[in-house]
Amino acid sequence: MQDGTGRQVEDYDVVIIGAGINGAGLFRDLCAQGVRCLILDKGDFGSGTSAAPSRLIHGGLKYLETGEFRLVAESTLERNLLLRNAPHLVRPLPTLIPIHSWTKGIWASLRTFFGSTTAPRSRGALLIKIGLRLYDFYGSRERQMPRHRMMGRARALSEVPALTPEIVAVGSYYDAAVTAAERLVLELVQDGVAAMPASRALNWAELGAVRNGVLEIGTATGERETVCPKIVVNAAGPWIDAVNAQLGLETRLIGGTKGSHILLDHPELVRQLDGRMIYFEDDEGRILLVYPYHGRALVGSTDIPAADPDSVVCDAEEIDYFMQSLRDLLPGLSFSRDQIVYAYAGIRPLPNSEGVAPGLISRDHSAPVHEPETGRPFPVVSLVGGKWTTFRGFAEEIADRLLRRLDTPRRVSTRDLPIGGGKDMPRDPDARDRWIAGTAAATGVSPERAAVLLDRYGTTAEAIARHEGASGRAHPIDGAVDHDSAEIDWIVRNEQVCHLEDVVLRRTQLAVTGQLTGAGLAQVAEIAATALGWSADRSREEQEQARRLLADRHGVRL
């Protein structure tokens, strides 16, 4: 079949617009069922809101207070499944909750539980203890981590000497963190294409108009294509209403809030945290967090109503708020703006909830459907809300609905399906040692290097190690602790890189951890230019574009 311009029209069962965590999760699930899908994003995979989370995989302890028990049950289960299915990227995170009173906050929490739209202030030890016991109960399915415990003031101050002496106790429990959020999105997309080779994934693709029942698409190479979907899924996050407008729909589904974060180069803070997160509240009951992330301290998050996801940044007022909150929490340490190596912000695609305090807007998900109409022969399903942790369950729920529409049976559950480099991941120290020794012997890299790659990429590390071993002498990237030229070359050649920013912001953690230097950026650009055939002018443009992005959106000046 051809369109009016003579171009071939490609037929797809499902077209997914938006390659963030929700879109990528749905893409993988549908592809695993043999459904032919196209997923596209106007930027890189995972470059929008999915690149701006607190990087936690958590059960949502605070949702107990709003009575969202089903969401907590789902979140804790999905957290446990991710620890099992993506152990190379999702890891346990011991967490401390400083407590400033024994009984405070009970009546305020009861008001919140019964529907108050104002945030409660200060939770005391009794309230925290009840919440953690419930959290253990809901986290019992597929349990992967220890139960909570309470710690007295003296012991807490001995373990974290900088902590404010105003505490009366500390609650201790486990959640999890994702070490490379954007990579997890990429691996979901790659798994989808591997499961269904007739499917396609396009980054840096432009959505055009709907004409005669087909969608026009512009690809990263500048080519124009037309596709004919049976179903369209709008997974564009905070851009959902804008994308629906392109599809001829007028909606007001999103009422997002901005979440900002900063990363600090603060060795003493990282040392005292000792691998733990401190999950704390400010004087008005708003939740904040700080935990070690690749040698830095990640601090977040704000929750401010915002509407423009294309220009959102962590502003000076938010930075001041973080700094003062850290000084109040940890008066034994000093904090300054000079310690910031990276800042980022994104808009959470929350449901439109006017009049509700931002922190109390539900993180649950929904998927309203706009059925076909004249000029648009396909239904549009919009993925609203949700949270990083629950993407698999959300995807499964929507996939089942779409499979019924397509009259296609489910072939496989994703509940026990490993993600990317999580497949065949060694699970105990002996298995890990055998894997490292075997990979080093087979590829020519040192056992130490094989261990670094395994921790970063899971079992995909074997392919990278073979590439490094075959390349001869790999050169270190300037400023980076343990990234080298052969590793970057493999990424550029195998991970659908279109722009230099794809490598330094998303395929690696070079930028977010403050390891990227001007010389390092030039090295990565040279590697990409050789692999992708960029001209000298294109290479310079890519470096300038990356520098502008880092300065304007992340406060990084190389």
Side-chain angles (χ1 to χ4, degrees):
M1 175 176 139
Q2 294 181 332
D3 65 10
T5 65
R7 289 182 299 223
Q8 187 68 29
V9 176
E10 291 287 335
D11 292 321
Y12 290 95
D13 296 315
V14 179
V15 169
I16 302 171
I17 302 168
I21 188 63
N22 285 333
L26 180 61
F27 179 74
R28 178 186 72 142
D29 195 320
L30 289 172
C31 288
Q33 317 315 322
V35 175
R36 189 179 188 218
C37 298
L38 168 67
I39 188 170
L40 63 125
D41 197 288
K42 70 173 185 174
D44 190 19
F45 305 121
S47 64
T49 292
S50 293
S54 295
R55 299 173 188 264
L56 296 180
I57 301 297
H58 66 109
L61 179 63
K62 70 177 183 178
Y63 308 141
L64 292 171
E65 202 162 43
T66 52
E68 296 179 275
F69 298 128
R70 188 199 60 77
L71 179 58
V72 175
E74 180 185 13
S75 299
T76 49
L77 172 62
E78 295 299 334
R79 177 199 64 191
N80 294 346
L81 294 178
L82 274 168
L83 284 163
R84 191 173 68 199
N85 294 331
H88 60 311
L89 296 176
V90 179
R91 295 173 189 171
L93 181 64
T95 302
L96 304 177
I97 304 179
I99 305 170
H100 293 264
S101 72
W102 295 107
T103 59
K104 204 170 178 182
I106 293 175
W107 294 114
S109 289
L110 285 172
R111 287 198 307 271
T112 300
F113 183 82
F114 287 109
S116 171
T117 57
T118 57
R121 298 188 179 199
S122 187
R123 292 92 171 162
L126 179 60
L127 210 56
I128 296 295
K129 177 68 175 177
I130 293 170
L132 290 177
R133 291 199 65 161
L134 283 170
Y135 206 53
D136 283 341
F137 170 76
Y138 282 114
S140 61
R141 289 187 297 168
E142 308 289 346
R143 181 180 296 282
Q144 301 288 310
M145 298 176 293
R147 297 175 184 273
H148 87 278
R149 60 189 176 89
M150 301 298 286
M151 188 187 306
R153 177 179 178 275
R155 180 172 177 182
L157 292 175
S158 70
E159 293 197 10
V160 188
L163 198 60
T164 174
E166 294 180 3
I167 60 169
V168 300
V170 165
S172 176
Y173 71 102
Y174 277 78
D175 258 325
V178 56
T179 60
E182 302 88 345
R183 176 160 290 280
L184 198 150
V185 174
L186 174 70
E187 292 189 3
L188 290 168
V189 171
Q190 291 176 322
D191 285 354
V193 174
M196 182 60 177
S199 291
R200 292 173 71 201
L202 301 177
N203 54 346
W204 299 101
E206 178 188 2
L207 175 66
V210 180
R211 289 193 176 92
N212 302 318
V214 299
L215 289 175
E216 292 185 348
I217 292 169
T219 69
T221 59
E223 297 174 350
R224 307 295 297 183
E225 299 183 8
T226 52
V227 300
C228 182
K230 294 178 183 175
I231 302 170
V232 168
V233 175
N234 183 351
W239 292 271
I240 278 178
D241 291 323
V243 167
N244 277 342
Q246 284 186 267
L247 298 172
L249 296 167
E250 185 177 340
T251 60
R252 291 189 63 216
L253 299 174
I254 300 298
T257 68
K258 180 173 75 162
S260 294
H261 301 77
I262 56 175
L263 283 103
L264 304 179
D265 180 6
H266 198 315
E268 180 57 22
L269 171 59
V270 171
R271 187 189 71 79
Q272 291 203 28
L273 289 173
D274 192 25
R276 297 168 296 198
M277 176 170 73
I278 301 180
Y279 185 75
F280 63 107
E281 60 186 10
D282 67 9
D283 291 339
E284 297 183 358
R286 290 177 295 187
I287 300 297
L288 294 102
L289 55 88
V290 55
Y291 69 94
Y293 184 79
H294 296 288
R296 308 303 190 194
L298 191 155
V299 184
S301 167
T302 52
D303 211 351
I304 303 167
D308 185 3
D310 289 308
S311 63
V312 64
V313 296
C314 178
D315 60 37
E317 186 177 347
E318 290 173 296
I319 290 174
D320 289 342
Y321 169 65
F322 289 142
M323 289 296 175
Q324 189 56 53
S325 296
L326 288 171
R327 293 182 188 114
D328 292 341
L329 173 73
L330 299 157
L333 298 175
S334 61
F335 296 94
S336 72
R337 287 171 172 267
D338 294 341
Q339 297 163 335
I340 300 173
V341 298
Y342 194 82
Y344 64 91
I347 293 185
R348 303 173 181 92
L350 303 179
N352 197 347
S353 304
E354 294 180 10
V356 178
L360 298 182
I361 298 174
S362 176
R363 268 53 173 178
D364 210 344
H365 52 254
S366 63
V369 180
H370 289 84
E371 298 293 350
E373 59 185 41
T374 304
R376 178 177 51 79
F378 48 81
V380 176
V381 182
S382 299
L383 305 189
V384 178
K387 54 198 289 286
W388 241 93
T389 306
T390 57
F391 77 84
R392 189 213 65 86
F394 191 10
E396 183 178 65
E397 176 187 327
I398 304 307
D400 284 341
R401 291 192 208 173
L402 301 186
L403 290 171
R404 286 193 291 271
R405 282 180 175 261
L406 296 168
D407 195 24
T408 300
R410 175 172 284 277
R411 295 179 179 177
V412 61
S413 169
T414 57
R415 180 170 170 140
D416 299 312
L417 203 61
I419 296 171
K423 184 178 181 181
D424 300 324
M425 186 78 173
R427 294 307 181 116
D428 59 66
D430 288 342
R432 175 185 164 85
D433 289 344
R434 287 194 300 272
W435 191 97
I436 289 170
T439 298
T443 64
V445 303
S446 69
E448 293 78 15
R449 181 61 180 166
V452 166
L453 294 175
L454 177 64
D455 286 342
R456 185 175 294 151
Y457 302 106
T459 51
T460 304
E462 182 179 358
I464 301 173
R466 288 187 184 280
H467 189 70
E468 288 196 5
S471 69
R473 185 168 175 270
H475 303 284
I477 300 299
D478 184 76
V481 176
D482 51 20
H483 286 78
D484 66 34
S485 56
E487 173 188 2
I488 300 298
D489 185 68
W490 187 92
I491 286 171
V492 172
R493 294 178 185 275
N494 292 277
E495 295 192 339
Q496 217 165 323
V497 167
C498 294
H499 294 287
L500 184 58
E501 67 173 80
D502 299 343
V503 182
V504 298
L505 267 80
R506 289 175 288 278
R507 304 296 184 275
T508 71
Q509 301 296 295
L510 287 171
V512 71
T513 55
Q515 297 183 65
L516 188 64
T517 65
L521 183 68
Q523 280 180 274
V524 175
E526 183 179 356
I527 295 166
T530 301
L532 301 177
W534 290 349
S535 66
D537 286 344
R538 170 72 185 274
S539 181
R540 280 193 296 273
E541 289 170 5
E542 289 287 340
Q543 290 182 66
E544 290 170 5
Q545 179 180 317
R547 283 175 178 271
R548 281 195 304 271
L549 178 64
L550 287 166
D552 295 345
R553 299 292 292 270
H554 304 294
V556 176
R557 286 171 173 79
L558 300 181

